[in-house]
Amino acid sequence: EAQVTQNPRYLITVTGKKLTVTCSQNMNHEYMSWYRQDPGLGLRQIYYSMNVEVTDKGDVPEGYKVSRKEKRNFPLILESPSPNQTSLYFCASSPPPGHSLTDTQYFGPGTRLTVL
Amino acid sequence: AQKITQTQPGMFVQEKEAVTLDCTYDTSDPSYGLFWYKQPSSGEMIFLIYQGSYDQQNATEGRYSLNFQKARKSANLVISASQLGDSAMYFCAMREGRAAGNKLTFGGGTRVLVKP
């Protein structure tokens, strides 16, 4: 079954304690992204990756890091989480542009993060 | 300026009636795609329907149809014969042809509650 998995699904942590949210896809997609969802703002892209070792900032990258060492995995790293990073996080994957704009992104189930 | 605007934060609809969710967008890219996603209370993002900027006909998928008015830059979602299971958050999103990273730009969402 084609899917994007994220772990953990729920996480409560404290300010400053480094954490990693993992993301993995089994569709051999080149493109992967991280989004955060906040009330009234919809989803906003944090970082994206176009292939292994190719990553770039999205609209709200401050306070986050990513890496893409393998095609299937795209972890999101919060080196020093702060309360304003409390949010619902989604990982997504898709084929590269040129296939078709109709190719929607496949979203993971989401990770609800609370930073106290 | 907001690229995707959803002006209805929330709405009630009677079961079995139709409901229209508004979405306006702003882009200078001639090639773009418009998407609607459903987010139930469980949190996952469910792709509903897609409309391409060059598509001549309005998209339909079962009970979902997209009222695409290109000159007005609107892409309203119509849900016919509402069901209790349609109660959810609905997001309009756009992918511009020249956007890096296959980025989707989302509106703030509309929460729909279907009354029995």
Side-chain angles (χ1 to χ4, degrees):
Chain A
E1 179 193 353
Q3 61 180 354
V4 179
T5 57
Q6 294 178 229
N7 282 292
R9 295 288 312 280
Y10 302 91
L11 179 60
I12 300 175
T13 189
V14 295
T15 298
K17 186 175 181 183
K18 181 179 178 179
L19 65 92
T20 299
V21 184
T22 64
C23 172
S24 184
Q25 51 96 1
N26 63 2
M27 295 164 280
N28 203 36
H29 284 161
E30 287 83 356
Y31 277 61
M32 298 185 74
S33 290
W34 276 102
Y35 292 84
R36 62 176 288 173
Q37 180 183 348
D38 301 293
L41 299 177
L43 282 72
R44 294 175 292 168
Q45 192 185 53
I46 302 170
Y47 267 95
Y48 65 92
S49 169
M50 293 186 284
N51 215 324
V52 175
E53 302 292 0
V54 182
T55 64
D56 207 346
K57 298 176 181 178
D59 294 326
V60 287
E62 293 77 21
Y64 304 95
K65 286 176 58 176
V66 293
S67 69
R68 187 95 180 271
K69 292 182 173 24
E70 303 166 286
K71 196 172 186 179
R72 64 183 292 124
N73 296 324
F74 190 45
L76 179 70
I77 303 155
L78 285 72
E79 294 268 2
S80 182
S82 63
N84 64 13
Q85 292 178 298
T86 292
S87 188
L88 178 59
Y89 291 86
F90 287 98
C91 181
S93 75
S94 63
H99 275 234
S100 169
L101 277 176
T102 63
D103 286 325
T104 185
Q105 298 205 14
Y106 291 77
F107 283 90
T111 295
R112 192 168 293 279
L113 172 66
T114 301
V115 183
L116 302 175
Chain B
Q2 290 273 36
K3 285 205 168 190
I4 298 284
T5 302
Q6 296 179 252
T7 57
Q8 307 150 309
M11 55 197 309
F12 289 99
V13 59
Q14 198 67 41
E15 190 179 12
K16 299 180 185 176
E17 291 186 350
V19 61
T20 298
L21 308 184
D22 295 339
C23 173
T24 57
Y25 60 92
D26 183 28
T27 181
S28 58
D29 193 331
S31 178
Y32 55 89
L34 297 157
F35 301 80
W36 277 91
Y37 288 87
K38 173 184 178 181
Q39 185 180 49
S41 57
S42 50
E44 71 268 31
M45 297 291 286
I46 301 169
F47 165 70
L48 295 178
I49 196 168
Y50 166 85
Q51 180 82 44
S53 59
Y54 297 117
D55 293 343
Q56 295 297 310
Q57 293 190 319
N58 287 343
T60 61
E61 289 286 348
R63 294 187 299 111
Y64 304 107
S65 60
L66 203 153
N67 183 3
F68 181 47
Q69 298 187 47
K70 193 170 182 177
R72 294 186 177 186
K73 294 189 174 179
S74 75
N76 298 339
L77 177 70
V78 180
I79 307 173
S80 63
S82 297
Q83 303 171 355
L84 296 178
D86 293 333
S87 294
M89 194 76 161
Y90 290 82
F91 291 99
C92 179
M94 175 174 65
R95 182 193 298 164
E96 295 168 288
R98 63 189 174 203
N102 265 0
K103 182 176 78 172
L104 283 171
T105 300
F106 285 81
T110 296
R111 184 170 298 281
V112 173
L113 286 176
V114 180
K115 298 185 293 184

